[in-house]
């Protein structure tokens, strides 16, 4: 069975280690925060300037001058630092962020990612995504394996304008986890009750299979 | 040295049609709403804006876009404004989308006298098109140029009479860097205090970067996405 | 994430002979005197220092120089230390003197992931020798490279348990930029307070840049040139 | 008569205009501050991080954490800002400082200046001087016209390692003021009772004479 969004967020949350600085992209990645064990001491960074992001505010705590990168009202945790955009991107571009988790429209077998533009159809802009994939020490992409009409989004070559070239460390989908190592894409986890043949049918990309293949759960 | 103006209308009087203007803010958090209102009322058009986003329909920069008075934009994310996307696909507005950190760093370069720098961001993407690519220590980088403007519209929390600025929380964002990169930096603030009242150690933008100062007439401080604890 | 150490001796234990170390401070204002004392006592030698000045004879970096344990220095001004000048003319120490702003900017580039940038400073001087010269918009610039180090020795006033740092007055100087540029940044502070006690808006160095923290054992805080009002 | 140091400082002080940001070099230029009229609203910057430098402290005000670029104890004025070195040099290199006044070992007719090194004899380092001459909007050099043994320090070509190439706006000496315009060095003021021939004898550089030559005083 492919994983639900919640199951996927729960799986990806296990990749968040104690003592790290993490930037979560908007959309599905933001769900990950809900599944991180309370024992994990992680600090969330937002590209609009918070290091030590807290939860959403109560009605009394709402402050128009305190938002996250999705423009939502938020709070900060004790020990937070609020910085300007130059400093926020110094953290990101300078290699100081341990992990970023981003959504993707397409990922290909070379570790390329596309998630900011569909020519002629949609132009949102890359925002901080290009900086994050170029600068973070580890780049996890989480996304649906196929489009609503069943086409593979894990490709031989991305068809959409790239966000980053050879930048993805690993990609988690509702079907599988692939890790990029030495220019190769390796299947390391597969959802329960999905056969390799089923996965291959849904995946345009060529990939190797890890000798220690596990269940994605 | 900073000059203090009596009104937002007066302080932007020479921001004529065709001007290039940097506008601080992350979405609509920390935007100079009084200066933008005055700019809207001034009737200036063919504006070239350097702004992270297009704000939202009918508010801030959005209001200028609705009135088709924006000729071009350098921005990073315009996903929250439908009209700007429509004008873009219709060829009614020029938009140069650039990575957010590159956006910040190019303005910082302008402020600090660096004409160009090598950047790791956007290598192998559309962003690299037409730019010099250089391998340094085995890794590819692209050359990015400084980005300046005729005016910078900056919103701060407090100023003193020397033009020193202090921002509040994440309303800071791009305001300090734009203050350094505008030929004429205009700061709109919620309060102006006498020189000596702000702690010298806590100044975010030293007065040397601020040419004009005005106390904003009215702060609506809209919230883009009010989200509450469940 | 930051780790808090019990002593200056322990926190610098792996700063072995041959290490490259950035040392904050303007002259001796804002130097990590406890870390420097511990480094002196450690016996490590063949050190490569990145420090604005050579401090003064017999104090700070000066003490390491007196003991001939400094192999090389990247610095900007060494006019206050006679012994370093003597060793330089005798070929006992390598010194690369660079403009003070270039010194700051090269470390900043390292911290922010910029491998190289064009600089207007030093064009047509010894500083430009061996460097690429490029004309941009009709003006000459030279290419300067990022500058990093194995360790950064930083002195702050206060830290919280998350490693956020606050500096005091001009003791700030090169400390924040070095904190971003060291592979391992070690901060010596006068006081460590619980997370939450420092105002998030007033943090000078966010904890993400600080790997190790120690409360300094003893602050002599020497003054280089005591000058009083007449 | 050539001007005394104090007379020279008094003359140069007249170049400091109200509403400007000024950086004074160490040595002779620091004397200039003493002669600026109290009506002039000038803000002094120091490259170690003060914008709004005050006078020296009383014994009670002394603070080891508050010094100037000469490492002297100082105070700040109301409305001062204290910044780190990156920001201090952003002001200098970014063209935000209106005027810098520096000492010189040599100046030549092309507006070159040398003031940081005598090969084999003296190596102090350039400190912030190279940044200041490259970045400040106006660069005034004040210096003795000749060395103690009578040799001209206003040269055809600097002999010492340069601090900056074609960067000097004007040079004030105990004998004269020269302005650099369109690649030419122009004498605009001459000390009282000094003849042009006397000046020429003391000056290796070639220079033009302003049609409105005035007395340096």
């Amino acid at each position: 069975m492919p994983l639900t969004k919640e199951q996927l967020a729960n799986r990806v949350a296990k990749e968040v280690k104690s003592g790290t600085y993490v930037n979560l992209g908007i959309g599905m990645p933001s769900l990950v925060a809900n599944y991180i064990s309370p024992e994990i001491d992680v600090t969330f960074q937002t590209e609009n300037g918070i290091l030590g992001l807290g939860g959403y505010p109560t009605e009394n705590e709402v402050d128009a001058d305190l938002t996250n990168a999705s423009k939502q009202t938020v709070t900060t945790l004790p020990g937070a630092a609020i910085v300007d955009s130059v400093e926020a991107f110094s953290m990101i571009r300078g290699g100081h962020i341990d992990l970023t988790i981003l959504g993707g429209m397409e990922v290909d077998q070379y570790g390329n990612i596309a998630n900011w533009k569909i020519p002629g159809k949609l132009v949102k802009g890359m925002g901080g995504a290009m900086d994050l994939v170029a600068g973070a020490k580890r780049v996890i992409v989480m996304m649906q394996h196929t489009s609503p009409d069943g086409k593979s989004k894990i490709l031989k070559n991305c068809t959409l304008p790239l966000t980053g070239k050879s930048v993805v460390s690993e990609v988690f989908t509702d079907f599988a986890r692939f890790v990029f190592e030495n220019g190769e894409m390796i299947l390391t986890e597969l959802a329960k009750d999905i056969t390799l043949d089923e996965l291959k049918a849904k995946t345009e990309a060529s990939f190797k299979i890890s000798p220690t293949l596990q269940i994605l759960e | 040295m900073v000059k203090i103006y009596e009104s937002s209308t007066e302080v932007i009087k020479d921001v004529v049609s065709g001007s290039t203007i940097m506008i601080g803010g992350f979405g609509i958090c920390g935007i100079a709403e009084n200066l933008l209102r005055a700019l809207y009322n001034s009737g200036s058009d063919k504006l070239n804006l350097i702004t992270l986003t297009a704000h939202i329909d009918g508010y801030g920069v959005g209001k200028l876009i609705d009135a088709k008075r924006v000729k071009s934009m350098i921005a990073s994310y315009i996903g929250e404004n439908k009209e700007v996307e429509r004008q873009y696909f219709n060829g009614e507005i020029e938009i140069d989308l650039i990575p957010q950190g590159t956006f910040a760093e190019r303005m910082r370069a302008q402020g600090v006298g660096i004409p160009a720098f090598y950047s790791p961001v956007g290598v192998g993407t559309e962003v690299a098109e037409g730019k010099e690519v250089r391998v340094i220590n085995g890794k590819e980088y692209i050359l990015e140029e400084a980005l300046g403007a005729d005016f910078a519209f900056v919103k701060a929390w407090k100023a003193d009479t020397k033009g020193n600025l202090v921002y509040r929380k994440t309303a800071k964002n791009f305001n300090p860097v734009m203050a350094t990169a505008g030929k004429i930096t205009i700061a709109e603030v919620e309060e102006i205090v006498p020189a000596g009242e702000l702690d010298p150690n806590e100044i975010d933008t030293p007065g040397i970067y601020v040419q004009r100062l005005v106390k904003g007439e009215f702060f609506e401080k809209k919230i883009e996405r009010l989200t509450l604890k469940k």
Side-chain angles (χ1 to χ4, degrees), chain A residues 3-109:
Chain A
L3 273 59
T4 63
K5 272 188 191 181
E6 289 69 26
Q7 287 171 324
L8 185 54
N10 183 53
R11 170 64 190 87
V12 173
K14 290 181 187 142
E15 299 302 314
V16 177
K17 307 299 180 199
S18 217
T20 60
Y21 295 92
V22 175
N23 183 301
L24 296 181
I26 60 180
M28 216 191 332
S30 66
L31 290 180
V32 171
N34 303 336
Y35 296 93
I36 295 169
S37 153
E39 284 106 72
I40 298 292
D41 180 14
V42 58
T43 305
F44 288 110
Q45 194 252 19
T46 70
E47 57 262 41
N48 67 321
I50 303 174
L51 188 72
L53 178 69
Y56 298 120
T58 62
E59 219 155 322
N60 286 334
E61 289 171 331
V62 166
D63 186 338
D65 289 340
L66 187 58
T67 58
N68 65 13
S70 301
K71 291 96 174 178
Q72 297 170 310
T73 44
V74 292
T75 61
T76 55
L77 296 178
I82 299 177
V83 300
D84 79 338
S85 297
V86 169
E87 183 57 51
F89 281 93
S90 171
M91 294 177 192
I92 292 170
R93 296 163 66 108
H96 307 282
I97 299 288
D98 296 296
L99 169 65
T100 187
I101 303 174
L102 295 170
M105 294 173 177
E106 295 177 349
V107 164
D108 72 22
Q109 66 195 44

Side-chain angles (χ1 to χ4, degrees), chain B residues 144-160:
Chain B
E144 293 283 0
E145 287 177 13
L147 179 63
D150 301 326
F151 297 94
F153 283 10
V154 159
K155 157 68 173 58
W157 181 32
K158 292 184 187 177
D160 69 15

